[in-house]
Amino acid sequence: MRRTVSTLAIAGSLIAAAPLVAFAQGLPGLTIFSGVEAKNQLSYRLDFGGNSGSWDRYRFRIGREKVKLAIAQFAIDYPNYFKGTFDPKEVELLVNDKKVEIDEVKWEKENYVIEIFPKEPVPAGSNVEIIFSNVKNPNSGGMFYFNCRILTPGDVPLLRDLGTWIVTIQ
């Protein structure tokens, strides 16, 4: 009897843990040696697991505590060894969980940067999520640093660092 109960308990816990393992694959894990301070790391999610060579959707998040000024432009640069592709027509911007209209998205492949221009500036103190759909992950996996810089309306036209998404492709 004891053996049966033990076996059922172990089997039940394994079945319950399986969805959590699958769910966790799209989230950032614990990064110990990244070179980026924890306070500068931004949260993200890869909806389809971040597998190399496959299609994915990136959800780059910026918490309200990081948005201290209004934002007129986002500039996201990435390393030259990231050989994935982006679809500039499939970029969405959510501010406080509401879709915001985008004026223009520029993908400068040669400079490894994506620029996003919202129609109206994003207010300070907002939760922001930038969603890239139809992303083709690079064929070789690795760790890729996506740096977010912003331009504030009416300010000196210099980009300000906001933080870094450390994206892992398997």
Side-chain angles (χ1 to χ4, degrees), residues 28-29 31 34-45 59-63 66 75-79 81 143-150 160-168:
T31 306
S34 69
V36 178
E37 291 183 46
K39 67 179 182 177
N40 295 326
Q41 292 181 22
L42 299 172
S43 177
Y44 73 93
R45 176 177 170 75
R59 294 178 180 271
F60 288 162
R61 297 181 177 132
I62 305 168
K66 297 293 263 176
I76 301 170
D77 64 74
Y78 56 93
Y81 56 87
M143 190 181 310
F144 305 97
Y145 289 38
F146 287 78
N147 301 304
C148 183
R149 296 180 297 148
I150 60 166
R160 302 170 185 254
D161 287 325
L162 202 64
T164 301
W165 295 283
I166 304 172
V167 177
T168 303

Side-chain angles (χ1 to χ4, degrees), residues 26-168:
L27 298 172
L30 176 64
T31 306
I32 298 173
F33 302 108
S34 69
V36 178
E37 291 183 46
K39 67 179 182 177
N40 295 326
Q41 292 181 22
L42 299 172
S43 177
Y44 73 93
R45 176 177 170 75
L46 304 179
D47 281 353
F48 304 121
N51 297 315
S52 58
S54 66
W55 293 96
D56 219 323
R57 181 181 304 122
Y58 293 10
R59 294 178 180 271
F60 288 162
R61 297 181 177 132
I62 305 168
R64 72 179 70 242
E65 70 281 351
K66 297 293 263 176
V67 184
K68 296 180 178 161
L69 301 167
I71 301 171
Q73 175 192 346
F74 296 90
I76 301 170
D77 64 74
Y78 56 93
N80 61 359
Y81 56 87
F82 180 87
K83 301 299 181 192
T85 61
F86 299 95
D87 185 349
K89 295 176 186 154
E90 292 294 327
V91 176
E92 293 179 69
L93 180 61
L94 300 179
V95 176
N96 296 323
D97 296 324
K98 293 183 178 133
K99 190 172 180 178
V100 170
E101 224 177 308
I102 295 175
D103 191 34
E104 182 181 14
V105 176
K106 291 183 189 174
W107 179 27
E108 295 183 26
K109 296 178 192 179
E110 312 78 36
N111 296 324
Y112 311 102
V113 67
I114 301 167
E115 296 175 319
I116 302 166
F117 301 89
K119 280 220 187 246
E120 298 290 325
V122 174
S126 299
N127 279 321
V128 177
E129 184 172 18
I130 303 169
I131 302 170
F132 294 95
S133 295
N134 294 339
V135 177
K136 179 73 168 171
N137 289 330
N139 287 327
S140 59
M143 190 181 310
F144 305 97
Y145 289 38
F146 287 78
N147 301 304
C148 183
R149 296 180 297 148
I150 60 166
L151 188 65
T152 57
D155 199 4
V156 177
L158 294 173
L159 292 168
R160 302 170 185 254
D161 287 325
L162 202 64
T164 301
W165 295 283
I166 304 172
V167 177
T168 303

Side-chain angles (χ1 to χ4, degrees), residues 2-24:
R2 273 188 162 171
R3 180 178 271 171
T4 305
V5 172
S6 297
T7 304
L8 288 174
I10 291 171
S13 64
L14 290 175
I15 290 170
L20 293 175
V21 170
F23 180 72

